[in-house]
Amino acid sequence: TFILQSHLFIRFFMQAVIIAAGRGMRLRPITEKIPKCLVEIKGRPMLEHILEKLSHAGINEAHLVVGHKREIIEDHFGPEFSGVRLNYFVQKEARGTAHALSLVENYVNGKFLLTNSDVLTETLNYRILAQGEGTEGADAIIMARQVHDPWRYGVLKTEGPKVVDIVEKPLPGEEPGNLVNAGIYLFGKDFFQYVKKTPLSIRGEYEIIDPIRSYIAARKNVEYREIEGTCIDIEHMHDLEAADDMDEE
């Protein structure tokens, strides 16, 4: 019985990494006093919504990469929220998403879900990644969504379910399609080998798009799954208004 229970624990134990170090400059004056991930949607911090949905999707443990006003985040959530164990990792300077992810390498056990703390979607999209149904043959999964203005995002170039390249913010009319990176992923432990080699971008940061492209170039099977329902990237005040109208699930 003990062996069976151990196998069940391993099968259903799933980690998430949440990048929650953003300052939220476009949401000032709200973010002058609180970090971006604590900006409220439906009367509650957006990170509460994400953690609750991750819990419902089957996530047991989350590594939070924090930075700006991190003490407020740690005081608010503590060591556990909604049944999810929380660990905190400090990004002392804003050095990009790939750098933020690199901080948790030694604490990730296997496949893990990665999300930004300012992207909100429905529970079922997290569940697709957390429970792995239909993703067994993929080395990585990028959640994607259709938009009418793809030049503002990282646009996926695809062949069937495979992602063969990502074109970051192409010129209008030069984008390979309308399917863009939603900022939610499933990766394996081997992805960190590529994260370590991330070059400094022209913005002076280590950005997650570069190791993903290297991963694809190494002939890894990177696939996409299209977001079901709503997905909102919280950048501006009008995004907060749209998020207030989202379904709770």
Side-chain angles (χ1 to χ4, degrees), residues 52-57 121-128 248-249:
E52 197 170 80
K53 291 171 189 288
L54 288 173
S55 176
H56 293 161
T121 190
E122 278 128 21
T123 302
L124 62 91
N125 293 304
Y126 298 121
R127 189 176 289 124
I128 289 169
E248 285 290 349
E249 287 301 313

Side-chain angles (χ1 to χ4, degrees), residues 152-208:
R152 293 179 53 210
Y153 306 94
V155 185
L156 305 189
K157 186 176 181 181
T158 63
E159 292 178 1
K162 290 191 176 185
V163 179
V164 297
D165 198 7
I166 304 177
V167 182
E168 189 68 14
K169 296 182 179 177
L171 292 173
E174 296 185 5
E175 63 275 3
N178 287 54
L179 196 65
V180 303
N181 178 3
I184 306 170
Y185 316 86
L186 181 71
F187 291 118
K189 181 83 172 177
D190 67 323
F191 182 62
F192 286 101
Q193 298 173 28
Y194 300 83
V195 172
K196 290 176 184 176
K197 300 173 184 177
T198 304
L200 198 64
S201 73
I202 58 174
R203 295 198 308 168
E205 296 184 353
Y206 298 94
E207 300 179 8
I208 197 70

Side-chain angles (χ1 to χ4, degrees), residues 118-121 125 142-150 152-156 158 177-184 224-235 239:
D118 54 4
V119 177
L120 280 95
T121 190
N125 293 304
I142 300 173
M143 297 302 288
R145 60 193 178 105
Q146 297 277 354
V147 299
H148 66 275
D149 50 354
R152 293 179 53 210
Y153 306 94
V155 185
L156 305 189
T158 63
N178 287 54
L179 196 65
V180 303
N181 178 3
I184 306 170
Y224 78 91
R225 297 292 183 272
E226 196 163 344
I227 289 280
E228 295 186 37
T230 308
C231 181
I232 301 175
D233 189 349
I234 307 294
E235 287 190 38
D239 297 319

